Amino acid sequence: MESVDRNNQDRGIRTALEAALILTIGMGFGRFAYTAILPHMVEEGVLSVWAGSLAATLNYCGYLVGSLLSIYIKPHNAHRMCLCAVIGTAVFMALLAMPLPAVAIIAVRFIAGVFSAFSMVAASLWLLEHRGHSHHAPLLFAGVGFGIVVSAELIVLADWLLLTSFEMWLALALLTVAPGIMVLRGLFDSNPKASPNYQTESKRQAPNIGTGALIFCYGLAGLGYIITATYLPFLVHQVLPEVDSSHIWAVFGLGAMPSCFIWHKIHQRLGSQLALQTNLGVQALGVVLPTMGSSSSFYLLSAILVGSTFMGTVTIAMSAAQKIKYRVKFNMLAVMTLSYGVGQIIGPLLAEALRAYSETFNSSLIAAAIGLVLAGAITAKPSKQLTN
């Protein structure tokens, strides 16, 4: 019996690692590597600051479209969409290795956003529902931070080797091959291990947060973190040109990796409401820090605080959504991702509008921090849907 339990445990960890690699590729590489490469693209004249912001916004629009399409993904078909996300991400990163005009780069980033959403929703459905390993959610979401760290340090190495931004994208595309092959076997293992009592357990442990409140809170969280996640290396590059901005971005990802486990523990101890409020409060402080001074310590601490909380928000909110999905008749994980996508679209648009008015990003960061505080406040009202 012990050997069977150990085999099941090992299988669960292996499956979670495979799902994490999907997010490493689809989110860490395909989505967030752009943040670290953008300063190089601007410096080389590949994109202007305005075109770079537009490409970021269109990427988030693609994420929104991918979230809408993901509503129709069924858990037992999620493995096919995971494979689609991995291949699509690699192909569209490789396209950015070509000398494309700005309008084509913007279009490529839009489609890449679609595949990023596919990776987030499909990997979550595959691991948490089809495989039934909801307790491995922190390991799944840690894949995003791992992808940020690896891609950021690869870009540092590429910069040291005097490679262009085109060659950086090609290196990232090639780097997806090995982890992509590693997940193939697990994806097409047709023997799911879902627990038959999962829904009953979910109802018993369901958080006292309204469905609408959770979805709206998650959307504001998307708006709150995305300005830092889009512009932090660019801001560092402008204010502190002697500091390698990619290292700061790597710290952001490094903080995200263990944060999924830490915030999962805090979630278990404090419950969804208090855990989210604490998480979003710390994140708001990290977002607003660069407005308080221009020394490297402010930017470094901002990277640590936001990096160590934004995937914690995902871990808490998506786990809470998984537990209250029985209240609704739609794909809760996809709708949560959709709400997050809407927030991420509004964020860069708001940042550009406020930057055009004030000529700095400070007002944008303050607005983002206010959004995060508001998101935490929304969860304070108990759900009327919860029954004991």
Side-chain angles (χ1 to χ4, degrees), residues 313-335:
T313 309
V314 175
T315 303
I316 297 168
M318 292 293 266
S319 297
Q322 179 70 11
K323 292 177 180 178
I324 64 174
K325 65 172 188 172
Y326 71 90
R327 298 179 186 171
V328 298
K329 296 181 179 179
F330 50 80
N331 186 334
M332 185 66 179
L333 297 183
V335 171

Side-chain angles (χ1 to χ4, degrees), residues 334-350:
V335 171
M336 289 283 287
T337 304
L338 174 64
S339 176
Y340 206 62
V342 171
Q344 291 173 137
I345 291 172
I346 296 173
L349 293 175
L350 177 65

Side-chain angles (χ1 to χ4, degrees), residues 23 27 63 67 70 116-126 128-129 134-135 137-138 140-141 144 198 202 207 209 214-215 217-219 221 260 263-264 267 272 276 310-325 331-341:
L23 292 189
M27 296 290 292
Y63 193 83
S67 304
S70 297
S116 292
F118 285 168
S119 68
M120 174 58 78
V121 177
S124 300
L125 284 174
W126 180 63
L128 305 182
E129 294 196 21
S134 59
H135 52 291
L140 165 69
F141 297 123
V144 178
Y198 180 76
S202 295
I209 300 178
L214 183 60
I215 293 171
C217 164
Y218 201 50
C260 299
W263 286 106
H264 178 68
H267 184 197
S272 299
L276 272 174
F310 90 103
M311 285 310 299
T313 309
V314 175
T315 303
I316 297 168
M318 292 293 266
S319 297
Q322 179 70 11
K323 292 177 180 178
I324 64 174
K325 65 172 188 172
N331 186 334
M332 185 66 179
L333 297 183
V335 171
M336 289 283 287
T337 304
L338 174 64
S339 176
Y340 206 62

